[in-house]
């Protein structure tokens, strides 16, 4: 009996020791991880590998396709992400709803040194004190068109209502990006809140719908590169990729104006790996890393050191990749209009799609 008690005591001690070791291992593991939630295909895998090799911090990456699908997952707190990459108006919404925490710029020397002042200044439209966001990618929205099948440069959004391009037009599957187009034609702000004006914009999209081949997000690149459509509403970063893959296409920013968008790195209020989150953001702002991401994505970068490091002369001199500041001077950036107006925009867009 005594030997059995001794044996049982040894088993208990071993179990407690093992539990302690496991707790230490789990704690150590949690100290060497960062949870990132970003747009699909928005980070070069090579960059993630380099970050893990240099820091020993493991990146757990989830991806989203729109700001609207990302937001509820973060707001519900089902997963405690550390770093997220939302767009301008969504950063503003997350700040307003206390979902973000201020950044410690003492831990972000690459951000303060390499992100251009122009972009931090523009970011003040959604992050007034530059407390919460570090710009990552930026661009405009315009019309991508096949120069072999379009006679004149389509420098007005109204071309998207031209019946001769029936079933050859691609539109963005997004309430804000879709409604922005008729609002600009009407000479209104893309942050319009007048419901009568918004209803007119909705009706314009409904009238256009028979001409639209598809409402798309990521699929726009493949459809244009393959020549399935003659023109489409695209982001400037996608435009560069499309032009490199199919030289028949060109890109134009319509004269009525467009969206100057900025996607930024932010840290969530409930982040559990705050120091690692800062390390991740600062790593992304390092010039040699930023140029790798730029080459992978094709989206314009606010990192002012990248153009000099870019080895491809055609890209380095590209007015799409590195446009003159006049392209974005005076353009609007999306703003958060409040939950009620968010619902109104989304309802209008659903009415277009089900009509």
């Amino acid at each position: 009996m005594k030997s059995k008690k001794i044996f049982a005591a040894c088993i208990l001690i071993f179990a407690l020791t093992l539990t302690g070791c496991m707790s230490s291992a789990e704690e150590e593991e949690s100290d060497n991880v960062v949870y990132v939630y970003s747009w699909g295909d928005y980070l070069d895998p090579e960059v993630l590998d380099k970050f893990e090799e240099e820091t020993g911090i493991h990146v757990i990456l989830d991806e989203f396709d729109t700001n609207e699908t990302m937001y509820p997952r973060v707001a519900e707190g089902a997963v405690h992400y550390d770093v997220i990459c939302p767009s301008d108006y969504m950063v503003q919404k997350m700040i307003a709803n206390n979902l973000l925490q201020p950044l410690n710029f003492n831990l972000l020397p690459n951000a303060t040194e390499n992100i251009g002042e122009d972009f931090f200044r523009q970011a003040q439209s959604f992050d007034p004190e530059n407390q919460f966001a570090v710009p990552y990618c930026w661009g405009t929205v315009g019309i991508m068109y096949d120069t072999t099948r379009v006679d004149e440069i389509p420098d007005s959004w109204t071309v998207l209502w031209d019946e001769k391009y029936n079933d050859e037009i691609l539109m963005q599957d997004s309430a804000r990006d879709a409604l922005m187009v008729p609002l600009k034609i009407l000479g209104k702000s893309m942050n319009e809140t007048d419901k009568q004006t918004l209803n007119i914009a909705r009706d314009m999209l409904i009238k256009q719908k028979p001409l639209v081949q598809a409402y798309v997000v990521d699929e726009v690149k493949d459809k244009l590169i393959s020549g399935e459509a003659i023109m489409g509403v695209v982001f400037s970063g996608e435009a560069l990729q499309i032009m490199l893959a199919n030289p028949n296409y060109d890109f134009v920013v319509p004269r009525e104006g467009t969206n100057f968008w900025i996607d930024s790195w932010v840290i969530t209020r409930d982040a559990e790996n705050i120091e690692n989150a800062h390390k991740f953001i600062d790593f992304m702002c390092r010039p040699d890393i930023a140029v790798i991401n730029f080459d992978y994505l094709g989206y314009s970068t606010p990192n002012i050191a990248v153009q000099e490091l870019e080895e491809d002369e055609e890209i380095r001199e590209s007015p799409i990749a590195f446009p003159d500041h006049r392209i974005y001077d005076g353009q609007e950036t999306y703003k958060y209009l409040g939950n009620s107006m968010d619902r109104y925009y989304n309802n209008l867009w659903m009415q277009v799609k089900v009509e």
Side-chain angles (χ1 to χ4, degrees):
M1 180 69 71
K2 183 176 180 181
S3 61
K4 288 184 179 180
K5 290 182 178 178
I6 293 173
F7 178 78
C10 290
I11 292 294
L12 179 61
I13 293 169
F14 176 79
L16 291 173
T17 303
L18 182 60
T19 301
C21 290
M22 289 176 64
S23 298
S24 298
E26 289 171 356
E27 183 178 350
E28 182 179 351
E29 184 178 353
S30 68
D31 288 341
N32 287 282
V33 71
V34 62
Y35 290 86
V36 179
Y37 198 21
S38 182
W39 295 87
D41 206 26
Y42 220 36
L43 289 159
D44 189 329
E46 179 187 351
V47 163
L48 299 181
D49 290 341
K50 284 180 176 290
F51 177 75
E52 293 189 349
E53 290 171 7
E54 291 190 25
T55 65
I57 300 169
H58 178 52
V59 178
I60 298 178
L61 175 66
D62 279 351
E63 297 179 333
F64 57 85
D65 58 357
T66 68
N67 286 289
E68 287 67 31
T69 57
M70 173 275 294
Y71 180 84
R73 191 170 187 187
V74 175
E76 291 163 5
V79 180
H80 286 177
Y81 294 107
D82 299 312
V83 182
I84 306 180
C85 189
S87 300
D88 29 57
Y89 70 97
M90 191 55 69
V91 173
Q92 186 180 10
K93 180 176 181 177
M94 296 177 85
I95 293 172
N97 288 281
N98 193 32
L99 293 177
L100 304 180
Q101 61 176 274
L103 300 172
N104 182 351
F105 279 89
N106 291 326
L107 300 178
L108 300 171
N110 282 309
T112 54
E113 181 177 350
N114 298 310
I115 303 302
E117 291 182 7
D118 285 351
F119 299 99
F120 272 120
R121 185 161 50 249
Q122 186 69 26
Q124 289 175 349
S125 64
F126 55 88
D127 178 15
E129 303 297 327
N130 290 132
Q131 290 182 303
F132 296 92
V134 172
Y136 172 56
C137 290
W138 71 273
T140 56
V141 178
I143 298 172
M144 199 87 211
Y145 66 100
D146 187 336
T147 59
T148 66
R149 294 188 284 173
V150 177
D151 296 333
E152 298 180 356
I153 297 175
D155 63 348
S156 170
W157 291 116
T158 57
V159 73
L160 300 172
W161 276 256
D162 192 327
E163 293 186 358
K164 69 182 177 182
Y165 299 119
N166 179 42
D167 200 37
E168 297 285 1
I169 296 168
L170 302 175
M171 293 289 288
Q172 287 290 317
D173 188 2
S174 161
R176 296 295 295 267
D177 290 320
L179 286 161
M180 180 268 290
V181 176
L183 286 172
K184 286 299 183 182
I185 293 174
L186 294 169
K188 302 296 183 179
S189 168
M190 64 186 191
N191 296 304
E192 182 63 62
T193 57
D194 178 74
K195 291 184 177 180
Q196 183 176 356
T197 301
L198 290 171
N199 291 345
I200 294 172
R202 172 205 59 198
D203 293 343
M204 290 173 66
L205 290 174
I206 291 174
K207 183 177 181 180
Q208 179 213 25
K209 189 174 179 179
L211 308 179
V212 177
Q213 181 186 117
Y215 298 108
V216 292
V217 184
D218 294 336
E219 312 95 303
V220 69
K221 288 185 292 185
D222 293 336
K223 282 183 171 291
L224 290 174
I225 289 171
S226 65
E228 290 182 47
I230 289 178
M231 65 179 64
V233 178
V234 303
F235 296 97
S236 53
E238 294 171 323
L240 182 61
Q241 296 174 28
I242 293 166
M243 291 170 65
L244 291 173
N246 187 337
N248 287 340
Y249 282 89
D250 204 352
F251 177 77
V252 61
V253 174
R255 60 178 179 267
E256 295 94 346
T258 188
N259 169 28
F260 172 38
W261 58 268
I262 300 177
D263 291 344
S264 301
W265 294 116
V266 298
I267 297 179
T268 65
R269 178 195 61 200
D270 297 329
E272 296 178 347
N273 303 283
I274 298 172
E275 184 177 350
N276 292 350
H278 281 87
K279 288 180 180 178
F280 181 85
I281 294 173
D282 199 55
F283 187 81
M284 294 301 141
C285 297
R286 212 171 75 187
D288 60 316
I289 298 303
V291 74
I292 295 173
N293 265 330
F294 168 74
D295 286 337
Y296 179 78
L297 293 173
Y299 284 106
S300 295
T301 172
N303 194 307
I304 57 177
V306 166
Q307 186 171 14
E308 184 178 344
L309 293 177
E310 174 56 49
E311 295 180 355
D312 188 316
E313 183 177 358
E314 181 181 0
I315 295 177
R316 190 170 61 246
E317 301 301 324
S318 168
I320 295 177
F322 300 100
D324 187 282
H325 69 89
R326 288 174 294 184
I327 292 294
Y328 56 82
D329 278 354
Q331 303 289 3
E332 287 186 284
T333 297
Y334 284 130
K335 294 181 180 178
Y336 169 53
L337 304 176
N339 290 333
S340 176
M341 192 53 62
D342 269 358
R343 287 192 295 270
Y344 198 80
Y345 267 81
N346 289 331
N347 287 336
L348 291 179
W349 181 231
M350 288 305 299
Q351 291 170 31
V352 173
K353 295 183 71 175
V354 302
E355 179 67 27

